Amino acid sequence: MIARWPCPGPHGQSEEYAFAFDRGRMVRLLIVPPLFDEANRMRRMLVDAMRLLDEAGVDCFLPDLPGCNESLQEFPAQSLHGWRRAMAQAARHFGASDVLAVRGGALVFPNTLPGLMLEPAKGASILRQMLRARVISAREAGRQEDSSALLEIGRSEGLELAGWRCGASLIAGLETATAQIEGQRILGQSELGGGGLWLRAEPAAAPDQSAALAQIVLAEIAT
Amino acid sequence: MSDTDSTLRAILQDVLGLSAERVTAFNASTGLFGDLPELDSMAVAGLLTEIEDRLDIVIEDDEVDGELLETYGNLLSFLEAKVAEKA
């Protein structure tokens, strides 16, 4: 269930975890998780889909992005470039045959693999939302902050956004990043039914969405 | 019910994970920020970003204040004015 993989980091090689169902089967799906809080909100749905895929004969791997979850790497040292390298390394290590990138995961997935992306997010939208959350919570605390001034600071010094200490390279990367899609199928939330779980204020399970996702992935990677 | 009204209810349903019935029962004086514990600053930011996407409008930082998010009615009338501006 918990697999380890060697991952390049800013201070050399480190070990990272992945939640995995690995029974040495032919079809091996790498799931690249959403970024920041969206990863927590969608994790249960994704893990439930993985259980269904396992039952259907598909090996699947959900690696931690370095600096996130159980990772020992420092978050402020992370960048989109680093996460891209890490996900490519995870794909190699696990021998992934296919990929499912979710939301911001589409900014860092190994695009040489065939597969799908669920509601790919633009880096600029992710950044805008986190800046906005910071401005709103500052206002609640009686401080005035301004998105564009914050962004300016973020670009040169890094910035704490929604509890994440983002380094300058991560901020700069997010500003312009879009999904580098090379033939992977784009999957819309409407195909899963219900509302997007990344929007949810609180993490929740969604068994119907997990089942729909597993079914679509199976149909896509079997063809 | 205006298009903006039904879009806003649909977004709130997604963000808060509420049933359609509960969201249909929202009226102009239903409290939002401050009354709904799940609506913290991160959730509000997500809500506003989703509103911008679905209504194709831009909400400036300085337009977001406590009053705007106090009740469903306040948020809806602000958005209806925004959408009308665009037309």
Side-chain angles (χ1 to χ4, degrees):
Chain A
M1 297 288 266
I2 303 295
R4 293 165 185 229
W5 53 287
C7 174
H11 308 300
Q13 205 82 339
S14 73
E15 277 226 309
E16 300 295 347
Y17 287 136
F19 182 74
F21 292 98
D22 187 359
R23 303 182 208 274
R25 291 168 291 196
M26 292 292 289
V27 184
R28 301 170 70 75
L29 178 73
L30 178 79
I31 301 180
V32 181
L35 310 184
F36 306 105
D37 289 27
E38 291 191 3
N40 301 331
R41 295 183 211 144
M42 299 189 76
R43 190 171 176 91
R44 177 66 191 272
M45 190 279 282
L46 291 173
V47 168
D48 286 346
M50 288 172 73
R51 292 182 200 284
L52 297 170
L53 288 166
D54 171 51
E55 283 168 20
V58 172
D59 281 350
C60 25
F61 306 87
L62 175 62
D64 286 348
L65 290 170
C68 304
N69 287 354
E70 309 298 326
S71 175
L72 295 175
Q73 292 194 38
E74 291 171 358
F75 192 83
Q78 304 306 319
S79 64
L80 289 184
H81 172 75
W83 282 341
R84 220 168 273 139
R85 224 156 52 116
M87 290 301 100
Q89 171 60 23
R92 271 196 299 277
H93 178 79
F94 293 118
S97 60
D98 296 87
V99 68
L100 167 66
V102 184
R103 298 278 301 154
L107 304 174
V108 297
F109 81 111
N111 63 358
T112 49
L113 289 174
L116 310 97
M117 44 206 48
L118 174 57
E119 290 281 353
K122 289 194 187 92
S125 319
I126 296 172
L127 188 58
R128 177 165 161 73
Q129 187 173 327
M130 294 207 300
L131 280 166
R132 175 172 263 166
R134 170 151 173 169
V135 170
I136 294 170
S137 65
R139 197 163 299 167
E140 265 180 89
R143 291 193 313 274
Q144 278 299 327
E145 287 189 332
D146 170 77
S147 287
S148 47
L150 285 172
L151 188 55
E152 207 49 52
I153 298 169
R155 279 188 203 122
S156 54
E157 298 163 24
L159 194 64
E160 182 169 329
L161 293 172
W164 303 88
R165 286 190 297 130
C166 303
S169 56
L170 182 55
I171 300 274
L174 283 170
E175 271 197 274
T176 52
T178 50
Q180 301 296 305
I181 299 164
E182 289 196 12
Q184 290 83 7
R185 183 182 157 203
I186 298 177
L187 176 58
Q189 177 60 31
S190 58
E191 293 179 70
L192 300 190
L197 293 174
W198 66 89
L199 288 171
R200 281 285 178 87
E202 307 276 339
D208 294 348
Q209 292 195 26
S210 298
L213 178 60
Q215 207 163 32
I216 292 166
V217 168
L218 280 173
E220 187 68 24
I221 60 188
T223 51
Chain B
M1 192 185 290
S2 69
D3 285 352
T4 306
D5 193 351
S6 50
T7 304
L8 180 58
R9 284 176 203 268
I11 297 170
L12 281 166
Q13 192 183 334
D14 289 350
V15 170
L16 299 169
L18 296 175
S19 66
E21 294 75 44
R22 278 211 43 203
V23 174
T24 309
F26 279 14
N27 61 35
S29 59
T30 303
L32 297 178
F33 200 35
D35 283 282
L36 299 167
E38 46 287 60
L39 218 46
D40 60 13
S41 57
M42 192 63 205
V44 167
L47 175 72
L48 295 174
T49 309
E50 189 66 15
I51 289 173
E52 288 181 326
D53 280 357
R54 292 204 215 171
L55 292 180
D56 192 27
I57 55 171
V58 175
I59 303 168
E60 302 297 339
D61 277 358
D62 58 15
E63 293 176 312
V64 183
D65 54 23
E67 202 183 328
L68 171 67
L69 294 158
E70 198 181 334
T71 62
Y72 182 79
N74 286 7
L75 182 56
L76 179 61
S77 44
F78 168 77
L79 295 176
E80 283 177 332
K82 275 267 172 193
V83 170
E85 242 172 62
K86 189 183 63 164

